[in-house]
Amino acid sequence: MIGAPPDTAVYIYAVVRTSDDPLETRPTGVGTDPAPVRAVTHGDLSAIVSDVPSTWRAADRADIATHDRVLSQLVGRALVPMRFGVVVAGDDELLARILIAHGHDLSALLDRVEGRVQMSVRAFYREESLLRAVLARRPDLKQRADALERRPVMTTQDERIALGSEVAAEVETQRELDRRAVVEPLAPLAADVRVDPGRSDRHAFNLQLLIDTTARPRVDAAVQRLAATLDHRLMLRYVGPLAPYSFCEASLDLETRSWA
Amino acid sequence: MAIATASNRYAGGPSPSGLADVLDLILDKGLVIDLYVRVSLVGIELLTIDARIVVASVDTYLRFAEAVGRLNIDADGKEGLPELMEDMTSGAAKSKTSGALDAAKEKFDGVFSSDDEDDEDEERERAPARPRRRKRRGDEE
């Protein structure tokens, strides 16, 4: 174990179970003058870290990519990924206040993700398909819109707003229906799921699956079937295996031994 | 803005992930440690606040009403409402938080360099890529 000099801080990527060689290669870490990625170990737990200057604050895209690269090398083993940007003062702090103080919590998290990976299904609407689906369910809205089109805008402003408001509500309903169409068949195959809302009107949602690695063929096949079934409306982008980011969304409180 | 004709030939496996695929996860998920420094990523805090602004505007409703009028649901997809979809994804007035989120995303993208400017378009416009495993170190760039 190498102690960091006083003018350096320690950037943390992940916590894993201790092993001889957790990393396939010897990557360098984040920062403008990257230090080697190394492990800080206490018993069964190892933090994967690299040194950064204690004044280092300005992270950029390259650092995010580095964080991702280091974690992607660890995927497949029990792995608790840190959120991007977690820095502690030094190895001693890391040991005393994280690996030792929260050893129990970290072990529990590692147990939960052992033998599992995160797979991500991101769903995007194809052009127009959301409204088409809405109008298929509510043809009356289309009829009203067509009728309004034939009348002057100035005198039908309120009706147009009312109609548009109704359409907007139906769009939300349709998004929920589409979300369920994907989530419900896949959830039973996963150990756990998270659904994140879409970030634009085109972006329907993200579904995060924590799956046993042995379940991969079944999950892949199920996603494939859904992608084919929903192809006319939704484009599914299926990515993984990833570090289980969405299933380690906890906050360690360093002042106590319990979760914050 | 053509949709890829390769379409959903979904061959069974996951696509390789670009950074755009995992950016949200890296920045928003994972284990956090209280009381310790989180690196101050330029602009992120501000963007987070922006992203929570709810914009439910009359303009959006009017556009929906108009778009439904224009949409020819009997045709097979050539006529449509590209303007609406573009407006809805370009950070203009929107219903619900997604609009603001999208606007924030655009600004967020601006924070970073444009070297994966194709990411968002790619995920929106293209069918899933051929099945490949997640990129490993060394494959990227």
Side-chain angles (χ1 to χ4, degrees):
Chain A
M1 194 185 310
I2 307 160
D7 58 342
T8 68
V10 175
Y11 182 95
I12 314 174
Y13 302 88
V15 176
V16 297
R17 290 229 166 80
T18 301
S19 67
D20 290 339
D21 192 11
L23 294 161
E24 288 175 6
T25 63
R26 291 275 154 221
T28 54
V30 297
T32 46
D33 185 16
V37 175
R38 60 192 176 88
V40 175
T41 295
H42 175 77
D44 189 37
L45 297 175
S46 290
I48 305 301
V49 305
S50 68
D51 294 340
V52 291
S54 54
T55 53
W56 179 71
R57 293 291 181 275
D60 65 14
R61 183 186 186 81
D63 293 320
I64 298 174
T66 299
H67 184 96
D68 178 46
R69 265 202 299 276
V70 171
L71 285 194
S72 64
Q73 284 198 34
L74 298 166
V75 169
R77 51 188 298 144
L79 158 69
V80 174
M82 305 300 297
R83 191 173 298 183
F84 178 81
V86 174
V87 177
V88 295
D91 285 7
D92 293 342
E93 287 281 286
L94 170 55
L95 281 167
R97 305 184 73 177
I98 299 177
L99 294 187
I100 295 173
H102 290 281
H104 182 75
D105 296 329
L106 291 166
S107 286
L109 271 178
L110 286 167
D111 285 344
R112 185 154 173 270
V113 299
E114 175 103 62
R116 292 171 171 166
V117 293
Q118 177 167 340
M119 300 299 290
S120 175
V121 179
R122 306 209 296 157
F124 296 88
Y125 284 105
R126 297 195 184 282
E127 201 86 33
E128 295 179 23
S129 62
L130 184 54
L131 271 184
R132 284 181 185 282
V134 166
L135 297 182
R137 284 193 297 113
R138 291 287 307 274
D140 58 301
L141 294 175
K142 174 62 178 164
Q143 287 156 14
R144 279 166 58 192
D146 289 345
L148 275 173
E149 286 297 295
R150 292 190 288 272
R151 294 165 56 198
V153 174
M154 291 304 287
T155 58
T156 56
Q157 184 85 343
D158 289 350
E159 281 174 78
R160 285 165 193 264
I161 291 171
L163 174 66
S165 161
E166 237 180 287
V167 173
E170 287 294 332
V171 163
E172 284 310 305
T173 302
Q174 187 63 42
R175 291 174 79 97
E176 174 60 24
L177 291 172
D178 291 335
R179 194 155 46 230
R180 279 161 47 188
V182 173
V183 173
E184 285 177 1
L186 294 177
L189 303 176
D192 203 353
V193 298
R194 297 282 185 278
V195 183
D196 305 321
R199 294 203 155 202
S200 68
D201 292 271
R202 184 78 65 82
H203 182 190
F205 58 88
N206 293 338
L207 169 63
Q208 311 295 347
L209 302 159
L210 181 69
I211 64 161
D212 293 339
T213 49
T214 53
R216 263 294 297 285
R218 276 183 294 143
V219 176
D220 288 359
V223 173
Q224 178 184 0
R225 281 194 300 275
L226 282 171
T229 307
L230 299 169
D231 183 38
H232 58 289
R233 180 143 86 249
L234 284 175
M235 193 274 275
L236 300 185
R237 185 162 167 79
Y238 182 42
V239 171
L242 306 170
Y245 285 104
S246 299
F247 305 93
C248 297
E249 222 188 332
S251 180
L252 292 182
D253 182 346
L254 295 183
E255 296 305 306
T256 71
R257 285 172 169 267
S258 63
W259 296 106
Chain B
M1 218 192 207
I3 292 173
T5 49
S7 186
N8 258 8
R9 274 300 181 201
Y10 215 80
S15 309
S17 67
L19 196 55
D21 288 316
V22 292
L23 202 53
D24 294 346
L25 298 175
I26 293 172
L27 295 178
D28 298 338
K29 310 294 179 185
L31 194 66
V32 183
I33 293 179
D34 283 356
L35 304 182
Y36 268 88
V37 182
R38 268 203 78 192
V39 175
S40 59
L41 198 59
V42 177
I44 288 294
E45 297 307 324
L46 179 62
L47 291 175
T48 304
I49 294 164
D50 283 354
R52 280 158 180 69
I53 296 172
V54 177
V55 180
S57 96
V58 167
D59 284 348
T60 302
Y61 293 157
L62 284 173
R63 266 208 305 281
F64 263 120
E66 197 184 333
V68 169
R70 277 204 310 274
L71 184 65
N72 183 350
I73 52 177
D74 295 320
D76 49 13
K78 287 299 173 211
E79 300 294 325
L81 42 150
E83 306 90 347
L84 174 69
M85 283 312 199
E86 275 165 29
D87 284 349
M88 289 198 302
T89 53
S90 70
K94 306 192 179 141
S95 64
K96 310 265 166 182
T97 52
S98 56
L101 282 167
D102 202 36
K105 181 67 166 66
E106 283 166 17
K107 280 194 273 171
F108 178 78
D109 283 344
V111 170
F112 295 101
S113 65
S114 58
D115 61 36
D116 71 344
E117 60 197 1
D118 60 326
D119 283 344
E120 275 296 312
D121 286 341
E122 179 181 49
E123 71 203 8
R124 286 179 180 177
E125 305 302 338
R126 284 187 205 158
R130 291 174 199 289
R132 264 176 282 164
R133 298 186 65 82
R134 174 150 163 72
K135 283 186 205 169
R136 309 296 284 194
R137 175 179 164 79
D139 292 346
E140 293 189 28
E141 277 126 36

